[in-house]
Amino acid sequence: MTLSEFDLIERFFSDCGTPRDDVILGVGDDAAVLRVAPGMDLVATLDTLVEGVHFLPGTDAQALGYKSLAVNLSDLAAMGAEPLWATLSLTLPEAAPDWVDGFRAGFCSLAREAGVRLVGGDTTRGHRAVSVEAKGLVPRGMALRRSGARVGDGIFVTGTLGDAGLALRALRDGLPVEDLAFLRARLDRPQARVAVGRSLRAVASAAIDISDGLLADLAHVLGASGVGGVVWLQRLPLSAPVRHYLEAGGDWAIPAAAGDDYELCFTVPAANQGALEKLLGGLPCPVTRIGEITDGAGLRVLEPDGREFRAPRAGYDHFVRDA
Ligand SMILES: [Mg+2]
């Protein structure tokens, strides 16, 4: 039986996520028909996860289903968009209903939680890979971009940094860590900061989600905005396991440069910092000021003792790239 005969998308995904009135036609026709509310801009993003590159061989299907949607929701969050619709492309070495069923459970549970409807997809035979496209809406002209940071703006991040990177070191290299269950949940089930992104529309000057590591992703903001920046490592928000790892002589590259955190990094002009403070109590996660936008180009990163920090490679770790 071939995968297309199997018709995995119709069989497993025809009722996936939150039913929505703006889905005029969903899974089952040649294409989906979606109704865009007046006064809104459509925001679209696509991410591909390849086995051996973006996830370890043998990764639990349910965790992968969850994460493949979560990383796309995170991109929409970084734009200040409200996620509404997704399409899915699955490339699989064989038709394995058990695997697909696990994947579906992870993907569709997050879709339900996030108010997203799966509206179409495709399956092909090949090396295992998952592509998800997510679409969302933002009020006209209000999408957050990478290019709006200006000299004097504060640099902020949500949540804590380095948890996913430390989990990966533990799982891949056998590094002993504290509270692996917590770290692993941060790696496998990232929480896209959708509500934060939405709140930041009128407050932030630029935003990005941290997929490749804080320093690499912040460098994208600086480059797109034509500015420089300074970040103080001792201000990075850390969970207890990452703090203890560093206190034991661990590498600052874990919170500063390891990927897969899916937190937001954003900049706020001084004039909007009062507005940001008013928002903070209503947000589902901490927000921490870690640096400042400066004149010139490039990012200066200072260690707690004031020395300049050199990351091993910017955005160096997309998991098993060397494997
Ligand atoms: Mg992104």
Side-chain angles (χ1 to χ4, degrees), residues 45 47 71 74-75 78 146 208-211 217 262:
T45 184
D47 258 297
V71 300
S74 177
D75 277 325
R146 298 177 179 186
I208 194 168
D209 70 318
I210 304 177
S211 52
D217 288 315
Y262 296 100

Side-chain angles (χ1 to χ4, degrees), residues 8-314:
L8 291 174
I9 294 292
E10 281 214 57
R11 175 166 159 196
F12 286 88
F13 294 92
S14 61
D15 180 24
C16 175
T18 303
R20 301 189 56 87
D21 291 343
D22 49 20
V23 178
I24 310 306
L25 206 50
V27 170
D29 211 303
D30 291 311
V33 179
L34 310 169
R35 188 154 291 164
V36 177
M40 305 297 275
D41 288 335
L42 178 65
V43 182
T45 184
L46 180 143
D47 258 297
T48 297
L49 302 178
V50 177
E51 186 174 72
V53 180
H54 305 96
F55 61 93
L56 298 165
T59 294
D60 174 60
Q62 193 170 338
L64 186 63
Y66 187 100
K67 187 161 179 173
S68 66
L69 179 57
V71 300
N72 280 277
L73 300 184
S74 177
D75 277 325
L76 291 181
M79 305 301 292
E82 182 79 33
L84 303 180
W85 311 301
T87 50
L88 165 67
S89 167
L90 276 179
T91 305
L92 302 173
E94 76 263 309
D98 286 354
W99 191 92
V100 177
D101 205 40
F103 183 93
R104 183 193 55 76
F107 187 100
C108 300
S109 71
L110 176 56
R112 261 192 312 277
E113 212 176 283
V116 167
R117 185 68 169 177
L118 185 82
V119 297
D122 188 23
T123 50
T124 328
R125 189 184 296 273
H127 185 75
R128 195 184 309 275
V130 181
S131 285
V132 175
E133 189 190 31
K135 297 187 185 73
L137 296 179
V138 65
R140 188 161 294 169
M142 294 295 281
L144 295 167
R145 303 170 187 219
R146 298 177 179 186
S147 55
R150 297 294 174 260
V151 175
D153 291 0
I155 302 172
F156 296 82
V157 293
T158 59
T160 55
L161 299 180
D163 301 322
L166 192 56
L168 194 61
R169 289 289 314 277
L171 295 170
R172 192 183 55 188
D173 307 334
L175 183 80
V177 295
E178 183 184 303
D179 206 349
L180 181 58
F182 161 79
L183 296 173
R184 180 149 203 178
R186 294 276 290 154
L187 176 67
D188 287 344
R189 299 175 78 84
Q191 303 295 305
R193 300 301 188 185
V194 172
V196 180
R198 203 169 38 213
S199 309
L200 290 175
R201 280 174 198 154
V203 172
S205 49
I208 194 168
D209 70 318
I210 304 177
S211 52
D212 293 335
L214 169 69
L215 301 186
D217 288 315
L218 178 55
H220 293 315
V221 170
L222 302 183
S225 301
V227 293
V230 59
V231 161
W232 297 280
L233 289 183
Q234 79 263 27
R235 296 207 189 164
L236 299 190
L238 306 174
S239 65
V242 172
R243 197 170 62 244
H244 295 155
Y245 160 78
L246 290 172
E247 282 165 6
D251 185 352
W252 275 100
I254 288 288
D260 283 282
D261 281 322
Y262 296 100
E263 296 293 346
L264 296 184
C265 175
F266 57 95
T267 58
V268 177
N272 289 352
Q273 294 208 8
L276 175 66
E277 265 150 47
K278 284 205 193 106
L279 284 178
L280 292 181
L283 296 181
C285 60
V287 164
T288 308
R289 185 183 170 112
I290 60 163
E292 205 170 287
I293 298 296
T294 59
D295 246 337
L299 178 60
R300 289 180 68 219
V301 183
L302 300 176
E303 295 200 29
D305 62 8
R307 275 188 311 184
E308 194 116 0
F309 173 76
R310 294 261 165 248
R313 290 179 270 157

